Amino acid sequence: MKRRQLFRRVTTSLAVLVGARLAAPATADALPGTGSAQPAGPAVPLDRLLGIVSLSHVNDPALTPIFPGDPAFTLETAFTVAEDGFYLQYVTEGEHTGTHWGAPAHFQEGGLTADQLDPEDLFLPAVKIDIREQAAADADYAVTVADLQNWEDVHGAIPLGAAVIAWTGWSSRWGSDAYANADADGVTHQPGFSAEAAQWLIDTGRLADRGALGTDTFGPDLGNDETYPVSVKLYDRRRISLENLTNLESIPATGAYVLVGGPINRAGSGSPATIFGLVPRLS
């Protein structure tokens, strides 16, 4: 069997395998959806099925770029082991500081807030669109419909309800002014998705009731567009954003999943997050 065929087979069955192993012991009565008993067999440890990588930056006030106008980020020592018997820091930050995710309410009046979403909304098949070359040549490059269609010509159809992640290479600029990439007038220049590409993903169901746009920049919109046309389209139903990602070289173009973790604030617009990439092992 060719490597790509094997990879796609592992990818297709990943969610079922994970669910079955987590929900059922070796004496499970049936696999999900079969309605019939299955013979018991040795459980396969999850760490043999999946590799786990972090797609999140460490939150550090000295390095974390703040989106223009967002609240300041501070991290202070509140208690120490030497003086208080335990160590604890006091954190002040906006909900969209550092690597984070956004809920529909972030851009939609009456949209679902973080505490109204389900765990399934935060566990999505992931595809990675590599636009590093285009972004290096043009900081205002926007992913086009043609880019998405060309990607599908090589890798197959984007799964419905996927997290579609633009790999721009911008995370290498983290901790410097080059990340915001502001010009003399203070306008941010970062690559993103075009509104047409976002609409195509929605119209074709690739961004369905749930799904996400992800990026290693401040957000899915171009940095110089303060009307946020992509975000306005994205944040509907149960769809989310994944922003300020890093380590994207550690996930494949297709076949991985993303799992979003972090505090769920009451009526939250999202949250700083540890976002994991779950990558099927082929051996």
Side-chain angles (χ1 to χ4, degrees):
M1 182 181 296
K2 293 182 179 179
R3 180 179 177 88
R4 180 175 295 175
Q5 291 174 321
L6 176 61
F7 191 83
R8 286 178 178 171
R9 179 170 294 183
V10 172
T11 300
T12 301
S13 61
L14 174 61
V16 174
L17 282 171
V18 172
R21 296 299 178 185
L22 287 176
T27 57
D29 292 332
L31 292 175
T34 64
S36 60
Q38 301 292 321
V44 179
L46 280 177
D47 62 356
R48 289 181 57 188
L49 294 173
L50 298 170
I52 303 175
V53 297
S54 174
L55 304 181
S56 293
H57 292 279
V58 173
N59 264 4
D60 178 352
L63 296 175
T64 301
I66 302 300
F67 187 82
D70 273 10
F73 171 34
T74 63
L75 189 62
E76 301 174 3
T77 299
F79 300 97
T80 66
V81 174
E83 294 187 6
D84 307 291
F86 63 96
Y87 171 60
L88 183 146
Q89 295 186 103
Y90 175 57
V91 184
T92 60
E93 60 184 353
E95 288 183 312
H96 293 249
T97 297
T99 302
H100 64 275
W101 68 279
H106 186 40
F107 267 84
Q108 185 184 89
E109 188 73 30
L112 294 174
T113 55
D115 52 320
Q116 293 175 322
L117 294 176
D118 296 328
E120 291 83 359
D121 299 320
L122 306 178
F123 177 58
L124 304 169
V127 302
K128 181 179 70 176
I129 314 296
D130 187 351
I131 60 162
R132 289 175 297 163
E133 183 176 344
Q134 298 95 314
D138 179 5
D140 299 320
Y141 185 80
V143 174
T144 66
V145 174
D147 288 331
L148 299 173
Q149 292 173 334
N150 291 338
W151 185 95
E152 291 195 330
D153 287 342
V154 176
H155 300 287
I158 295 170
L160 303 186
V164 181
I165 299 170
W167 185 20
T168 73
W170 230 248
S171 64
S172 66
R173 302 171 177 231
W174 191 257
S176 72
D177 291 341
Y179 191 79
N181 196 33
D183 62 22
D185 295 321
V187 177
T188 297
H189 293 275
Q190 292 183 337
F193 289 86
S194 68
E196 293 77 15
Q199 191 64 58
W200 183 81
L201 289 166
I202 292 168
D203 290 344
T204 59
R206 287 155 174 82
L207 291 181
D209 186 56
R210 60 172 50 101
L213 289 177
T215 178
D216 52 0
T217 67
F218 278 138
D221 291 281
L222 289 176
N224 62 5
D225 192 340
E226 295 184 353
T227 66
Y228 309 110
V230 175
S231 293
V232 170
K233 293 176 183 296
L234 170 67
Y235 287 112
D236 191 13
R237 307 191 184 199
R238 313 189 77 85
R239 297 194 293 266
I240 64 173
S241 67
L242 309 174
E243 304 178 11
N244 291 327
L245 298 173
T246 191
N247 204 26
L248 290 175
E249 66 276 6
S250 298
I251 63 171
T254 186
Y257 278 67
V258 290
L259 178 63
V260 182
I264 303 295
N265 297 326
R266 178 67 62 192
S269 68
S271 175
T274 302
I275 300 175
F276 295 103
L278 307 180
V279 183
R281 297 188 187 275
L282 298 181
S283 59

